Amino acid sequence: MTREPKQDRSRVTRGHLLEVTIDCLAELGWGATTVSLVAQRAGVSRGATQHHFPTREDLITAALEVMFDARMEQARREATDLPTGEGRTEAVVSRLVDYYTGTLFKAALQVWTAAAADPELRARIVPLEERFGRIAHRTAVEHFGFDDADPVAHRLVQATLDLARGLGLADVLTDDSKRRAEIVRQWAAQLDAALPRNGESAEPRSLDVAVLD
Amino acid sequence: MTREPKQDRSRVTRGHLLEVTIDCLAELGWGATTVSLVAQRAGVSRGATQHHFPTREDLITAALEVMFDARMEQARREATDLPTGEGRTEAVVSRLVDYYTGTLFKAALQVWTAAAADPELRARIVPLEERFGRIAHRTAVEHFGFDDADPVAHRLVQATLDLARGLGLADVLTDDSKRRAEIVRQWAAQLDAALPRNGESAEPRSLDVAVLD
């Protein structure tokens, strides 16, 4: 399939608008992130912007969706660098928490919070939230290398994502990175104690209480 | 000390305005929560409202502060109902998470998110956030009955508050209570395994690995 240069330009413009939207949301908040401002910051005419995204809601939901998919794709590519055996759990928790303290999370927080008080926006965001949650969970399970069919593993991966979300929220107003690093290390130790990976580590681990009975 | 009825009325009006502010924030969001709307909903004249709270920021920060203190006071009173021994950890996590999914958290989320994109508001909110974090941590430690001088206990209580914050955020757009109850149970089991309370339970617990070595 060949592409016309015009289509290429259009695709680049679209991608640029979405990136600028995420930056605007994270930096200036929901209220300030209008189609006009995004167009102006992106150096694209308002008409061309509205050709791609007729409404502000179209622009913002497309930005979240496309940038989330790009982030997950990047996470999958970078997963090859993760250590195997000891240290893997902490590395996975640490990267996960990095995502939840980045620009995309800060942008999403603006939209989630606006949606909480706006039923129409909420109706658009709820399916996105479900999709993001499902993909984030699946990706985390793969990277941890836990067995998601084990209900304890399933719940602890969910809890890890909830913890990451909470750490993301704690980083919104102040730089919380020092405290966060300690929490990540401690929680990874808990996960390793609760969910030993078969044959991956010769380290002794906490055993389930049933073994001691 | 005697009080003039007029002072009593003024105090009641003030408290009523603060409650209405929290409800407005949680239901209608930051943008809609103006002094005029709060005055109207509270059935108080705009002049009387501004006598108590000259600016919107005064009203909103006072509302968060007073309602947070009232919530913590209530938590302390209710702590006498907490089970001792087995089940205490889960009961404490469960109550903690209840606070973070209630109206006050939803109101605070609106203000935190607005402050992320507004340096002046941020400067007012950061000291509040620090104070809330300190008090919430101390209260949680007391209710769990853990030894905060133990660095593992200290970090796991922090992680529990981060988890609660993340669960609060997951509840903003949809009712997440069913999933949340499972996470709370699992998290409490992790805490009990990592932080056995001295002599509080005859139940067997996971032991630290050093004991098995």
Side-chain angles (χ1 to χ4, degrees):
Chain A
M1 200 178 98
T2 57
R3 281 180 183 280
E4 297 295 321
K6 199 180 156 190
Q7 286 181 310
D8 274 353
R9 273 206 309 278
S10 173
R11 197 170 41 84
V12 169
T13 299
R14 194 184 142 91
H16 184 49
L17 285 167
L18 298 179
E19 277 177 29
V20 171
T21 301
I22 295 298
D23 289 343
C24 264
L25 281 168
E27 186 187 333
L28 305 173
W30 166 262
T33 306
T34 59
V35 172
S36 305
L37 184 75
V38 170
Q40 188 194 321
R41 281 198 155 200
V44 175
S45 75
R46 194 177 152 132
T49 303
Q50 283 186 319
H51 168 73
H52 286 286
F53 306 104
T55 70
R56 185 192 190 199
E57 284 69 24
D58 294 331
L59 174 64
I60 283 170
T61 52
L64 288 175
E65 193 139 27
V66 169
M67 299 297 275
F68 175 81
D69 288 344
R71 203 78 179 85
M72 285 294 110
E73 183 49 43
Q74 186 194 348
R76 254 175 245 122
R77 277 197 314 273
E78 289 174 354
T80 52
D81 305 339
L82 287 166
T84 54
E86 214 198 344
R88 184 175 184 94
T89 304
E90 187 178 331
V92 175
V93 175
S94 178
R95 283 197 194 177
L96 211 59
V97 166
D98 282 350
Y99 300 146
Y100 282 83
T101 49
T103 306
L104 181 56
F105 175 83
K106 288 177 168 68
L109 179 65
Q110 292 290 335
V111 180
W112 261 234
T113 304
D118 176 341
E120 259 181 69
L121 183 62
R122 180 196 299 241
R124 290 190 75 146
I125 295 301
V126 166
L128 270 192
E129 182 181 45
E130 282 167 7
R131 183 170 163 262
F132 291 178
R134 219 166 38 238
I135 296 174
H137 184 88
R138 201 175 56 215
T139 308
V141 165
E142 280 169 24
H143 294 178
F144 277 124
F146 296 147
D147 175 12
D148 202 40
D150 168 9
V152 173
H154 179 79
R155 287 192 294 265
L156 287 179
V157 170
Q158 288 202 322
T160 304
L161 291 164
D162 290 314
L163 174 71
R165 204 182 297 112
L167 287 168
L169 195 47
D171 194 67
V172 164
L173 299 188
T174 51
D175 175 4
D176 188 42
S177 52
K178 196 166 158 265
R179 187 188 75 91
R180 188 165 65 236
E182 289 183 15
I183 304 288
V184 164
R185 203 167 309 125
Q186 186 65 53
W187 180 244
Q190 296 312 119
L191 287 177
D192 276 335
L195 301 168
R197 284 189 204 84
N198 286 338
E200 260 202 349
S201 166
E203 292 291 302
R205 290 169 188 277
S206 293
L207 296 181
D208 190 87
V209 87
V211 179
L212 301 173
D213 254 343
Chain B
M1 199 178 99
T2 58
R3 280 182 181 280
E4 297 296 320
K6 199 180 156 193
Q7 285 180 311
D8 275 352
R9 272 206 311 279
S10 172
R11 198 169 43 83
V12 169
T13 299
R14 195 184 142 90
H16 184 47
L17 285 167
L18 298 178
E19 277 178 29
V20 170
T21 301
I22 295 298
D23 289 343
C24 262
L25 281 168
E27 186 188 333
L28 304 174
W30 166 262
T33 305
T34 59
V35 172
S36 304
L37 184 75
V38 170
Q40 189 194 321
R41 281 198 155 200
V44 175
S45 75
R46 196 179 151 130
T49 303
Q50 283 185 319
H51 167 75
H52 287 285
F53 306 104
T55 71
R56 186 193 189 198
E57 285 68 25
D58 294 331
L59 174 65
I60 284 171
T61 52
L64 288 176
E65 193 140 27
V66 169
M67 298 297 275
F68 175 81
D69 288 343
R71 204 78 181 83
M72 285 294 111
E73 183 49 43
Q74 186 193 350
R76 254 174 245 123
R77 277 198 313 275
E78 288 175 354
T80 51
D81 305 339
L82 287 166
T84 53
E86 215 199 345
R88 185 176 183 92
T89 303
E90 187 178 330
V92 175
V93 175
S94 178
R95 282 197 195 176
L96 211 58
V97 166
D98 282 349
Y99 300 147
Y100 281 84
T101 49
T103 305
L104 181 57
F105 175 83
K106 288 177 168 67
L109 180 64
Q110 292 290 334
V111 181
W112 262 233
T113 304
D118 177 340
E120 258 181 71
L121 183 62
R122 181 195 298 242
R124 290 190 73 144
I125 296 299
V126 166
L128 269 192
E129 182 182 43
E130 283 167 8
R131 182 169 164 263
F132 290 179
R134 218 165 40 237
I135 296 173
H137 184 88
R138 200 175 57 213
T139 309
V141 165
E142 280 168 25
H143 294 177
F144 278 123
F146 296 147
D147 174 13
D148 203 40
D150 169 8
V152 173
H154 180 78
R155 286 192 294 264
L156 287 178
V157 170
Q158 287 202 322
T160 304
L161 292 164
D162 290 315
L163 173 79
R165 205 182 295 114
L167 288 169
L169 195 47
D171 195 67
V172 163
L173 299 188
T174 52
D175 175 4
D176 189 41
S177 51
K178 196 165 158 267
R179 186 189 75 91
R180 188 165 65 237
E182 288 183 16
I183 303 289
V184 164
R185 202 168 309 124
Q186 188 66 54
W187 187 273
Q190 295 312 119
L191 290 179
D192 276 336
L195 301 168
R197 283 190 206 82
N198 286 338
E200 258 205 346
S201 166
E203 292 290 301
R205 291 170 189 274
S206 295
L207 296 182
D208 192 85
V209 87
V211 180
L212 301 173
D213 252 343

